[in-house]
Amino acid sequence: MKRVFTLGLTATMLVALTFTNCKDDDEEYEPMKAGVLNEKTGLRVSQCASPSGDVYKFFYKSNGWIEQIDATCADGTSETADFSYSPNKISLMDYDKNGTPEDGDDIAISYNSKGYVSEIEYNVKVEDVEGYSGSGDMKITESYSYDGEYLSAISHTEELKYEYYELARELNAVYNVKYTLTWNDGKLQKILYEDEETTSVSGGTLDKEKKTSIKETATLAFAYKNPTKNIWGQWAQSQTLLFAENEDLAEMFAYVGLLGKGSSTLPSAATCTTKVVETSETGKKTSSENTLNYNFAHALNKANAIYSTTINDVVYKFGYDYAEVVSAKAIGKGDKLRSGARFMKRDIQSKLRDF
């Protein structure tokens, strides 16, 4: 299946993974208002479609914290991300087309003082790469930076060291990814995506180290001609294109406000320019470039929340429900939002608004 919540692992090389947390978050900040758009009415995000072809469903704890994100994939399989606190972590579980659990992972997560995601960090125990017996370790870290209410950068690093027992060889791989976001007066202007993967194999019968690398850059530049006002600061599917393409956790975080505010107005178009450079074992470089153009249209519902986003004639929708709130006056004094208990998946259609 396509793993919706995978962090861009060099896992094309990996067969079996065992995850262990390496970060303690006993006193980390816990997100209080994830998904809530209008504090007075309790309007919040409950469902949305992804440009990757998946559908996300969002569930909340009775105190308003995010509890679970469920993703139904385009191929009929699914995956859930369960959020727990003290310590803060996310438990991921894959399901086949029949709903049978296949495998699960636990990762540690941290939040900043505003409740936005700040860091993900964990270690991976690796076994049996490319059909050969062996073992190794992968260290994965991902950090999120903000300029006030706005996401400014995401940095992701993976470092893998693996020993092939039968071949007496060692594999070393480093994978670095960075997103850099440019804002102007509350409007998202550009997202620069950069990744580089370097792999080397040494030892055994090899005369010298074999080293290869792949470097990719992509620039998604937005245009605002007759833009749509985005009073709740939502992240629309038009702005998460690069996250969705790379199956990054950032996409699901963005839709429920865990990555700060989205653009104050929604874009009408964008251009994405991509360049890939590959370096072979002999040092020979090959490159390719590609440019894609996108046209966007956004529709709002009666609550001024995003009802749909159209990307080049393909329509992606949002769904909403309402958290139970005490009163506007009480909220103004700083009281926490209260929501109803998490509803069963079979009742979700009766809970949605404008989906």
Side-chain angles (χ1 to χ4, degrees):
M1 69 175 283
K2 181 176 68 175
R3 292 197 46 127
V4 177
F5 301 136
T6 297
L7 293 181
L9 298 174
T10 47
T12 53
M13 301 180 293
L14 309 183
V15 177
L17 304 180
T18 302
F19 288 71
T20 57
N21 289 341
C22 62
K23 185 176 181 63
D24 294 324
D25 291 324
D26 293 333
E27 298 181 358
E28 291 292 338
Y29 186 87
E30 296 163 332
M32 297 301 300
K33 300 176 182 178
V36 175
L37 306 180
N38 187 334
E39 294 183 10
K40 292 183 178 180
T41 65
L43 178 71
R44 65 184 179 186
V45 176
S46 64
Q47 182 167 329
C48 69
S50 167
S52 62
D54 309 312
V55 174
Y56 294 109
K57 299 175 184 177
F58 304 96
F59 302 93
Y60 303 85
K61 297 172 70 70
S62 59
N63 59 7
W65 301 349
I66 191 73
E67 181 179 28
Q68 184 187 77
I69 299 178
D70 180 293
T72 301
C73 305
D75 62 2
T77 58
S78 63
E79 190 166 6
T80 58
D82 287 286
F83 289 69
S84 57
Y85 307 92
S86 297
N88 294 320
K89 70 175 183 177
I90 303 177
S91 298
L92 307 179
M93 180 62 70
D94 291 337
Y95 297 87
D96 64 18
K97 295 180 180 180
N98 298 317
T100 303
E102 293 186 316
D103 60 80
D105 315 321
D106 281 351
I107 63 176
I109 184 171
S110 300
Y111 307 92
N112 67 14
S113 60
K114 296 180 183 294
Y116 305 153
V117 176
S118 61
E119 187 174 333
I120 293 171
E121 181 179 344
Y122 59 104
N123 289 327
V124 182
K125 292 292 183 182
V126 185
E127 297 177 355
D128 299 337
V129 172
E130 298 175 338
Y132 293 97
S133 62
S135 64
D137 297 281
M138 178 185 285
K139 181 180 180 181
I140 301 173
T141 58
E142 188 163 74
S143 62
Y144 297 76
S145 302
Y146 301 87
D147 183 2
E149 299 286 341
Y150 298 100
L151 178 69
S152 59
I154 303 175
S155 296
H156 176 94
T157 300
E158 301 169 18
E159 298 175 290
L160 169 66
K161 291 185 178 181
Y162 183 86
E163 181 183 357
Y164 293 92
Y165 296 149
E166 299 170 15
L167 301 177
R169 295 179 183 175
E170 182 176 279
L171 168 69
N172 286 276
V174 178
Y175 180 59
N176 291 307
V177 173
K178 186 172 183 179
Y179 298 90
T180 303
L181 290 79
T182 302
W183 302 79
N184 181 23
D185 194 25
K187 292 193 295 186
L188 181 59
Q189 301 294 320
K190 180 175 65 175
I191 301 178
L192 172 63
Y193 170 84
E194 302 169 279
D195 80 41
E196 184 171 12
E197 181 176 344
T198 302
T199 304
S200 63
V201 179
S202 60
T205 58
L206 295 176
D207 295 330
K208 62 179 181 179
E209 180 183 57
K210 289 186 175 182
K211 188 174 182 178
T212 59
S213 68
I214 300 176
K215 184 175 183 179
E216 178 179 355
T217 60
T219 301
L220 184 65
F222 297 98
Y224 292 87
K225 183 179 180 180
N226 300 319
T228 302
K229 291 290 185 181
N230 185 23
I231 67 171
W232 303 122
Q234 293 178 259
W235 281 84
Q237 293 92 338
S238 54
Q239 299 170 307
T240 62
L241 283 170
L242 291 180
F243 300 152
E245 180 180 340
N246 292 287
E247 298 184 353
D248 199 293
L249 283 166
E251 185 194 6
M252 71 171 187
F253 291 154
Y255 296 139
V256 285
L258 291 177
L259 295 188
K261 290 184 178 180
S263 186
S264 58
T265 55
L266 300 172
S268 57
T271 299
C272 186
T273 304
T274 303
K275 182 177 181 179
V276 179
V277 178
E278 298 186 40
T279 305
S280 68
E281 297 174 4
T282 63
K284 181 180 178 181
K285 293 185 177 182
T286 57
S287 63
S288 61
E289 295 187 35
N290 185 41
T291 299
L292 296 175
N293 295 310
Y294 298 97
N295 291 308
F296 306 133
H298 301 89
L300 306 181
N301 62 18
K302 293 180 180 180
N304 289 314
I306 299 173
Y307 169 63
S308 66
T309 297
T310 303
I311 304 176
N312 290 352
D313 299 324
V314 180
V315 180
Y316 306 91
K317 294 184 178 181
F318 273 87
Y320 302 88
D321 68 4
Y322 291 85
E324 180 185 351
V325 298
V326 181
S327 68
K329 183 177 180 180
I331 292 172
K333 293 181 179 180
D335 288 1
K336 299 175 182 178
L337 292 174
R338 294 188 297 111
S339 69
R342 172 182 167 188
F343 48 86
M344 298 298 291
K345 294 181 183 179
R346 64 175 177 270
D347 297 327
I348 191 170
Q349 292 301 327
S350 66
K351 301 288 185 179
L352 296 180
R353 299 292 187 272
D354 296 318
F355 190 80

